[in-house]
Amino acid sequence: RFDEAGWTGTANEVQDATGRGNHGQSYNSATTAHLSPVASGSPGTCRYGVFDGTDDYAEIPHDAVLNGSDTLSYAAWVNPDSWSGVRQVMAKSVHGGGSGRAQMGIFSEGGVLKGRAETVGGRYEVSASLAYAPLGSWSHIALTFSGDSLRLYINGVERAATTFAATTLRQTTDPLAISKRVGTSQYFFDGLIDEVRVYANALTPTQVLEAMNARHLCPVSAVDHFDIDIGSGSASTCLPQAITITAEDVGGVPVTAYSGTVTLSTSSNHGDWSVSSAGGALNNGAADDGAATYGFVAGDNGSIVLDLANVHADDLTITVNDAGAGVSSTSAVFQFRDNTFVISPTTCTGVSCPG
């Protein structure tokens, strides 16, 4: 599903959501993102893989369950930035480059979108116009092999098919490659890929639609750190300073389901806290000691705005600590000063106003 908070190129980081343990690995800075999913919200499609078209890819080591024989189906969502040349979505070894041509693949070539099967009885291909999978948009692609037919579906509609005498797919021990040709550094996909699926059976048209419309709950990421936004870095001892605190995962994405309790402190041990925009309970504690506690609630969506008032001309930092989660973050240094000018615009009324 590519729902991981980010990839770093370590083994088994690309998780198999089926529970069968066919985890994979990313290479050359392929990563995940969340801003433009196929379907937003939770349930939705959550995060997705980002591939640069130059050298990014992910690979799933061979397992017998990934090989089809008399039936097999591939499916994925794609959002291409370019289809130029050969751009592989997913395949075993249909281009060679590994232990030999085998199994199936989905890729662009010669200005069309292709599905290919390498069988004991020979190679079979289907192709459809790339207009059905335009640049900059999500399109669902499925390729099904039934033993005597090969069918290509785009957005749930069969766009190409061929039939032949019953045969089986050629077997291989090569990995399943996403965004790359097996064995060589070629055919990298340029764009976004999500919801990559391998089925042992040949999906029916109804099952293709079900796969396309499938949604799932997005995982609740663990909090890795707190982003502490102190604004410009300068504040007045005359007015409170708004401080935005956001719980984020390792990829810098807000953890909207965060509901922990944090302690707040200032390095100068000065200041008083109050709520500006937050739904939980704040306990400011003793006056002017810079310390407080706050409990995040569901309505905060992982981010709050608190006001810090400080009558001392201090240089200070703010530390936010969730002892239960073992997460602590400290802001950059910012300044409270007595000589800061605060300009408050007003509306002039009366005969003395200009104009």
Side-chain angles (χ1 to χ4, degrees), residues 239-270:
L239 290 174
Q241 174 69 18
I243 308 295
T244 302
I245 300 169
T246 305
E248 296 184 343
D249 66 19
V250 68
V253 178
V255 180
T256 57
Y258 177 66
S259 59
T261 296
V262 297
T263 59
L264 312 168
S265 61
T266 63
S267 59
S268 66
N269 297 317
H270 291 149

Side-chain angles (χ1 to χ4, degrees), residues 288-344:
D288 195 28
D289 67 352
T293 60
Y294 178 82
F296 279 76
V297 296
D300 292 333
N301 291 317
S303 185
I304 59 174
V305 182
L306 302 179
D307 286 335
L308 176 63
N310 181 21
V311 297
H312 307 275
D314 291 330
D315 290 355
L316 57 84
T317 60
I318 296 167
T319 296
V320 180
N321 180 52
D322 181 339
V327 178
S328 182
S329 300
T330 299
S331 73
V333 176
F334 73 110
Q335 304 173 331
F336 278 89
R337 292 292 182 264
D338 294 326
N339 59 352
T340 299
F341 288 97
V342 178
I343 301 174
S344 299

Side-chain angles (χ1 to χ4, degrees), residues 155-201:
N155 293 324
V157 178
E158 183 182 296
R159 295 298 183 184
T162 186
T163 58
F164 36 82
T167 186
T168 57
L169 292 166
R170 295 179 62 87
Q171 299 301 294
T172 182
T173 57
D174 286 336
L176 176 69
I178 300 165
S179 175
K180 177 186 176 292
R181 180 189 187 194
V182 172
T184 61
S185 297
Q186 292 176 280
Y187 307 162
F188 296 102
F189 184 82
D190 187 359
L192 316 177
I193 301 177
D194 198 11
E195 304 295 316
V196 173
R197 300 186 180 196
V198 177
Y199 299 87
N201 61 307

